[in-house]
Amino acid sequence: MLEYALSYLIVFTLVPFATTLIADAKDKLSTIPWENTFEEAVKKAKEAGKPILLDFFSPT
Amino acid sequence: MTYPNAAVTDYINRNFIPLHISTQSNSDLLSKYRIFWTPTILVLDSDGTEYYRFHGFLPSDEFIPQLEFGLGKMVLEKHDYKTSSTKLKSVVDKYPKSGIAPEAQYWLGVSEYKATHNVDALLNAWRKIMNDYPNSIWADKVSFAF
């Protein structure tokens, strides 16, 4: 009985926590830190020694 | 959408400083880069000089090769032939079925030739276009050499 109780306790406490961690990890994977100004992008590109990916988009 | 794809975001974050500009927010850049349609994606060097662009939505297995090709073209035009050969070869090796692969193979030949001044290097690369992409316009472009 005690084992069942502990199992339920683990499932209901740790699973939501783990799900949150996985969701956070996915968000971090899919996040692009877009710059919003040309000047700032050029500054960061020079500092990082990287080229710039410029995406022109139409707001929906 | 291409951007939520983890491989795409990872590629962008590793290789670029990403800049997002709304067509309704910055008319100076729209004019500077002659933007008339969206999405338009440009590869710029750190000074803001344009080296490659493409238009329209693409799936991730076409989007990443386009970016890799853009990086290859940029360093080719900057006469960094070792890096351009590496980038362009990676487009062909990793994404042989992508739409940009035949053009990458063409410029890989040019890059190899520029690096070595060896005509055989150019012809070997171009022969691969004839063999692997015989129906592409790039096969037509190199057909005079064979």
Side-chain angles (χ1 to χ4, degrees), chain B residues 68-86:
Chain B
E68 184 88 344
F69 177 79
L71 292 174
K73 276 300 292 298
M74 181 179 75
V75 287
L76 177 62
E77 291 186 28
K78 288 176 175 284
H79 310 287
D80 178 357
Y81 303 125
K82 185 179 178 186
T83 308
S84 61
S85 288
T86 300

Side-chain angles (χ1 to χ4, degrees), chain B residues 7-79:
Chain B
V8 170
T9 57
D10 180 58
Y11 186 89
I12 291 172
N13 290 336
R14 278 189 291 110
N15 292 284
F16 292 97
I17 299 298
L19 171 60
H20 225 188
I21 298 292
S22 164
T23 52
Q24 294 181 2
S25 68
N26 195 317
S27 60
D28 287 349
L29 288 178
L30 290 169
S31 173
K32 177 177 180 178
Y33 291 108
R34 312 172 317 282
I35 301 304
F36 66 97
W37 189 247
T38 61
T40 295
I41 312 290
L42 287 79
V43 173
L44 315 176
D45 70 6
S46 59
D47 292 321
T49 302
E50 176 188 344
Y51 285 89
Y52 186 62
R53 71 167 60 194
F54 58 97
H55 308 277
F57 289 102
L58 288 173
S60 59
D61 57 355
E62 289 286 351
F63 194 84
I64 294 174
Q66 287 280 343
L67 298 182
E68 184 88 344
F69 177 79
L71 292 174
K73 276 300 292 298
M74 181 179 75
V75 287
L76 177 62
E77 291 186 28
K78 288 176 175 284
H79 310 287

Side-chain angles (χ1 to χ4, degrees), chain A residues 5-17:
Chain A
L6 282 174
S7 298
Y8 279 113
L9 185 64
I10 289 169
V11 166
F12 285 109
T13 55
L14 293 185
V15 167
F17 179 65

